[in-house]
Amino acid sequence: MLNFNDPVSRRSFLSVGSLALGGLSLSQLMASKALAGAAGGDGKVVKDVSVVFLFMHGGPPQQETFDPKMSAPSGVRSTTDEIKTKIPGITFGGTMHKLAALNDKFSIVRSFSTGDGNHDIKPIVAKTQLNANLGSIYSRVAGTNHPITGMPRNIALFPRAVDKEAGEAVKQFGNFLSTGDLGSAYAPFEPGGDGTFQRNLQLALSRERFDDRRGLLEKIDVMRRTLDVTGEFTGIDRFQTQAFDTILGGVADAFDLSKEDPKLVARYDTSKLVARSAIDKKWNNHPRYADHVASLGKLMLMARRLCERGAGFVTVTTNFVWDFHADQNNAGCAEGMIYAGAPFDHAVSAFIEDVESRGLSKKILLVCCGEMGRTPKVNAKGGRDHWGGLAPLLLHGGGLKMGQTIGESSRDAGEAHTEPIRIPNLISTLMHSVFDVGLLRLDTSVPSEVAKLITGSEPIKELMA
């Protein structure tokens, strides 16, 4: 344990502003940024846009979310009925009532196909030679930490980031933290997960390791009080002071939801939607349903806070809850939408309202999809099985064109009736949102495989402004 009354320990903590970005400390980067700003700056490959990718692990159903097909026969149409949305003629599955009132603010794709019905994480880990998660690909171009705030650029949020009682993240279907050929330096920062807070943050804290973000926050509070009493800041230049305040305040506070207005926290909170005792224990997946309900809203609130402070790509997933087979493991569609769909509707609508109210809709792009959709016909037990032909996709913000329903599905929501939109098109849309692709093509520092992934496919044309 570090002794904060020890001058050596205080000096080691004062090096907290050193984020090992190309050999420069955060204070040096701030100074160079100030000089660049005074000189007018130049063209930037990295845009001022962040991505929040909410991965709907398990494969959400088309009909019960955004394409109810109520004119289709029983067994095909939505098992949760339908609800009118703000856009005339467009309806959603009956669970999505809060999003239905906001659908002029986001866009839905009804012709999105992930290509197969396998349980994996293919939309978030690019199946190329890189085999790296999209956040790591982003940080390979943008840098591992924000040059002003010090915030990690690439962050993965699992239920344990906000709920210490939550189970471990599901990993048997793919590694959300995979960096492939890019190397471990570009791994997502994972607060409250298998890693430690400072592991990816790269704070110069010597040998000290903290088990979770609460531990780090406690140490930071002690350090701040000690430095205030001892006057340790005397003689530190402006950029060193700014770097110190940035790490201790901006980065640490971003992970502390107690800094938010309690009314806003309550608006996001999904934990009261379904009591743990109300989740049927006959499903082996019931602990994951409980984690999803308990954590999703707070994870989305944390994601917004992180983006505001410089995170560029935040992956959110709440474990494996959208697998609606109605077998011994999983609930069927109607019941499953209570456990998975209602918290999704609540949390995503809160996020959209929050981002819109803060004027951040051009600076934060939200993407929601899973690894597949579900079968057009309900099985004999009231569930839907694996289906790669069509899957739900929602996008909000990022400066893209909103208020659209893009593409059409077949009569049974089994395949695209219009030209299908595929994962490479989605990835291209994200990358065009966060990068100036024209400048990126000219940047020789970007590895060819990274550049190929970013520029190799066409974005979803209906969304491009």
Side-chain angles (χ1 to χ4, degrees), residues 33 36 61 71 190 199 201 211 220 250 322-323 387-388 430 460:
K33 178 70 174 181
S71 62
E190 185 190 4
R199 171 169 59 89
L201 205 55
D211 291 333
I220 285 173
W322 292 92
D323 199 25
W387 189 256
L430 305 192
I460 301 170

Side-chain angles (χ1 to χ4, degrees), residues 126-370:
K127 283 193 171 182
T128 66
Q129 181 179 339
L130 291 171
N131 195 31
N133 72 83
L134 296 183
S136 294
I137 293 167
Y138 170 84
S139 65
R140 176 60 182 82
V141 177
T144 56
N145 297 82
H146 192 282
I148 302 301
T149 67
M151 177 65 69
R153 292 282 207 179
N154 177 22
I155 300 175
L157 298 180
F158 302 102
R160 283 186 175 180
V162 295
D163 182 4
K164 64 181 180 181
E165 303 299 325
E168 292 186 9
V170 174
K171 294 182 178 178
Q172 65 261 42
F173 300 116
N175 181 9
F176 286 94
L177 310 182
S178 172
T179 61
D181 293 340
L182 296 180
S184 60
Y186 300 100
F189 171 51
E190 185 190 4
D194 295 334
T196 62
F197 190 95
Q198 119 271 15
R199 171 169 59 89
N200 287 334
L201 205 55
Q202 296 182 29
L203 305 181
L205 299 184
S206 179
R207 298 172 301 277
E208 185 71 3
R209 296 181 63 86
F210 300 114
D211 291 333
D212 56 28
R213 71 185 167 87
R214 292 182 180 85
L216 178 58
L217 292 174
E218 291 171 2
K219 299 296 189 261
I220 285 173
D221 288 340
V222 173
M223 176 177 58
R224 185 183 287 114
R225 290 194 298 270
T226 302
L227 292 174
D228 287 343
V229 170
T230 62
E232 186 72 34
F233 278 119
T234 303
I236 301 176
D237 68 32
R238 175 168 66 91
F239 292 113
Q240 286 177 314
T241 303
Q242 185 181 7
F244 189 86
D245 288 342
T246 294
I247 298 300
L248 295 192
V251 172
D253 284 355
F255 294 87
D256 187 354
L257 299 186
S258 70
K259 303 293 184 181
E260 282 289 350
D261 181 345
K263 292 182 180 178
L264 183 62
V265 176
R267 169 64 183 96
Y268 270 94
D269 190 11
T270 50
S271 64
K272 297 180 180 179
L273 294 179
V274 183
R276 285 180 180 267
S277 59
I279 299 174
D280 198 327
K281 300 300 188 297
K282 73 180 180 181
W283 312 117
N284 292 335
N285 211 17
H286 71 85
R288 293 172 182 169
Y289 295 145
D291 287 351
H292 177 78
V293 174
S295 67
L296 181 57
K298 292 178 180 178
L299 289 172
M300 294 304 294
L301 174 55
M302 183 177 286
R304 189 271 292 163
R305 290 175 58 82
L306 298 177
C307 289
E308 278 188 309
R309 289 157 177 81
F313 203 104
V314 181
T315 302
V316 179
T317 186
T318 58
N319 286 332
F320 192 76
V321 296
W322 292 92
D323 199 25
F324 294 166
H325 288 293
D327 56 12
Q328 69 273 16
N329 293 318
N330 309 281
C333 293
E335 186 177 351
M337 287 299 290
I338 296 172
Y339 305 148
F344 176 91
D345 175 66
H346 185 96
V348 173
S349 63
F351 182 91
I352 291 171
E353 289 174 340
D354 190 16
V355 166
E356 293 279 340
S357 70
R358 292 171 184 272
L360 296 174
S361 60
K362 291 184 178 181
K363 293 190 174 185
I364 300 178
L365 171 60
L366 171 66
V367 179
C368 305
C369 73

